[in-house]
Amino acid sequence: MENRKTVPPLLSIVIPVHGVEKFLPRCLDSVLDPATGEGEVEIVAVDDLSPDKCGAILDEYASRDDRLRVLHLTENQGLGGARTAALPHLTGEFVWFVDSDDWLPDGALAAVLAELRAERAASVPLDVLITGFNHVYPDDSTEPNPWRHLLAGSPLESATGSTLRAHPALLRTVLSVWNKVFRRAYLTGLEVSFGRGYYEDISVTYPALMAAGRLRYLDTACYNYRRGRSGAITATASPKHADAFAQYDAIFAFLDRRPELADLRTLAFERTVKQALTVYDSAGLVPTELRGEFFRRITAHFAAHRPADYRFPGGVTGVQYRLAAKGSRRGYDELRRAGRLLRGR
């Protein structure tokens, strides 16, 4: 028999799976698009020791479609660990991390593949393709990408693409991993890793966006992100919200290793401070008995990572940041309370 060279797929899709048997079939059906060109896509699903029927569902799908391979972990690793476990098994030129309770809209995979095919002729390799998305709520209502106005019509949408340095507003958009398609060699070359616990992906997305030589935005809704489901971290009170600080440390450790990115440190610092304060301010996220400790962690974040030339923003935001930097939780809470009272008049 004649030996034929195996051509690697264009795209690897990684799906970490745990406790989502209600949602998993829809996710799998959306990535196993029958219209996909032969050999263009591989899917690696990671059964993260799921306590329900997810493992059996994955095996049944894999028995019917050889594009899907299943890894069954013997210890629960969490979202970050499950994604990491998949990486050595990937062969695609690009990689897309899809969460198992979400799904791709009709035509989304074809749209992404068309972009990646076109990129093969580019003189400068694409490091990250950022896609549009929808928020989908429990009542099936949808909300288009609320940050679209920061991306559509920007240099990121052009064929030549851009960088974070040239378009810093990108760091004000969602920094989750699921709407970003990474060139696999670029991602592995960054020498970053997903964290443990909540906010596990920002230790990858911040470095990937800051270091990229070429980024592009595809103004098409290519992902349906499920909001408001029971157990989602955006709606769950948990001490694990403090996991974010370990991810922040990892982001700034990356910047320490990459002195050529020093001018982006202030941008990253302000974005992490904003996120931490947003979590603190959001009712029902940080348990009441842990709010004092969480605020102290914000103060410690200022002390550890504030750039030497950092200038506080003006207005109320600047006052809030100064109070957080000083550790004045009472003053910060009183300012927030006064602001709510004024808005309520």
Side-chain angles (χ1 to χ4, degrees), residues 167-195:
H167 193 70
L170 174 60
L171 218 58
R172 290 161 49 197
T173 68
V174 64
L175 290 169
S176 298
V177 74
W178 39 257
N179 75 320
K180 297 165 184 71
V181 181
F182 303 90
R183 184 165 56 85
R184 187 166 61 91
Y186 168 69
L187 180 63
T188 57
L190 288 173
E191 298 183 344
V192 296
S193 59
F194 292 102

Side-chain angles (χ1 to χ4, degrees), residues 185-236:
Y186 168 69
L187 180 63
T188 57
L190 288 173
E191 298 183 344
V192 296
S193 59
F194 292 102
R196 302 300 296 264
Y198 286 8
Y199 310 103
E200 80 297 328
D201 49 359
I202 62 174
S203 53
V204 169
T205 54
Y206 273 79
L209 295 177
M210 290 188 292
R214 184 163 168 261
L215 302 163
R216 286 190 54 224
Y217 170 63
L218 174 60
D219 191 27
T220 300
C222 292
Y223 197 93
N224 283 331
Y225 176 70
R226 199 181 295 273
R227 292 291 301 267
R229 78 169 180 88
S230 176
I233 70 170
T234 52
T236 303

Side-chain angles (χ1 to χ4, degrees), residues 33-323:
D33 187 340
T36 302
E38 183 177 355
E40 282 196 305
V41 176
E42 66 175 3
I43 297 104
V44 176
V46 183
D47 172 17
D48 191 21
L49 199 62
S50 190
D52 53 12
K53 298 178 182 177
C54 283
I57 293 170
L58 291 171
D59 288 340
E60 194 276 328
Y61 268 80
S63 71
R64 294 187 280 112
D65 196 317
D66 60 10
R67 290 174 295 177
L68 173 63
R69 287 178 287 144
V70 182
L71 302 179
H72 294 282
L73 302 186
T74 57
E75 294 182 8
N76 177 258
Q77 299 294 319
L79 270 173
R83 294 187 186 118
T84 300
L87 289 174
H89 300 273
L90 306 183
T91 61
E93 187 176 345
F94 291 86
V95 56
W96 192 0
F97 299 98
V98 173
D99 289 349
S100 51
D101 54 344
D102 301 328
W103 72 100
L104 308 186
D106 290 345
L109 184 54
V112 168
L113 288 171
E115 294 294 320
L116 300 183
R117 283 190 216 104
E119 284 296 333
R120 283 177 162 164
S123 57
V124 178
L126 177 69
D127 293 324
V128 186
L129 176 68
I130 303 153
T131 75
F133 61 90
N134 297 314
H135 285 158
V136 183
Y137 294 90
D139 63 358
D140 289 331
S141 63
T142 62
E143 174 193 26
N145 175 5
W147 295 277
R148 179 178 179 271
H149 65 286
L150 297 174
L151 301 172
S154 76
L156 292 167
E157 198 182 359
S158 68
T160 54
S162 191
T163 64
L164 178 64
R165 186 175 281 109
H167 193 70
L170 174 60
L171 218 58
R172 290 161 49 197
T173 68
V174 64
L175 290 169
S176 298
V177 74
W178 39 257
N179 75 320
K180 297 165 184 71
V181 181
F182 303 90
R183 184 165 56 85
R184 187 166 61 91
Y186 168 69
L187 180 63
T188 57
L190 288 173
E191 298 183 344
V192 296
S193 59
F194 292 102
R196 302 300 296 264
Y198 286 8
Y199 310 103
E200 80 297 328
D201 49 359
I202 62 174
S203 53
V204 169
T205 54
Y206 273 79
L209 295 177
M210 290 188 292
R214 184 163 168 261
L215 302 163
R216 286 190 54 224
Y217 170 63
L218 174 60
D219 191 27
T220 300
C222 292
Y223 197 93
N224 283 331
Y225 176 70
R226 199 181 295 273
R227 292 291 301 267
R229 78 169 180 88
S230 176
I233 70 170
T234 52
T236 303
S238 172
K240 293 177 72 62
H241 287 286
D243 293 345
F245 294 103
Q247 311 316 321
Y248 300 155
D249 290 343
I251 292 165
F252 287 96
F254 173 79
L255 286 171
D256 289 342
R257 299 193 301 270
R258 301 289 292 268
E260 73 276 14
L261 302 177
D263 59 309
L264 298 177
R265 183 176 290 268
T266 293
L267 191 65
F269 176 72
E270 288 201 325
R271 183 65 171 85
T272 55
V273 167
K274 179 177 174 59
Q275 182 190 36
L277 288 173
T278 298
V279 172
Y280 177 81
D281 293 340
S282 298
L285 291 187
V286 181
T288 301
E289 68 276 14
L290 297 177
R291 286 178 60 76
E293 174 59 23
F294 193 93
F295 195 85
R296 285 190 288 274
R297 296 290 297 272
I298 297 174
T299 302
H301 180 62
F302 267 93
H305 300 305
R306 179 169 56 179
D309 59 350
Y310 179 72
R311 293 185 178 182
F312 287 96
V316 174
T317 298
V319 176
Q320 291 176 324
Y321 282 22
R322 289 176 188 276
L323 291 169

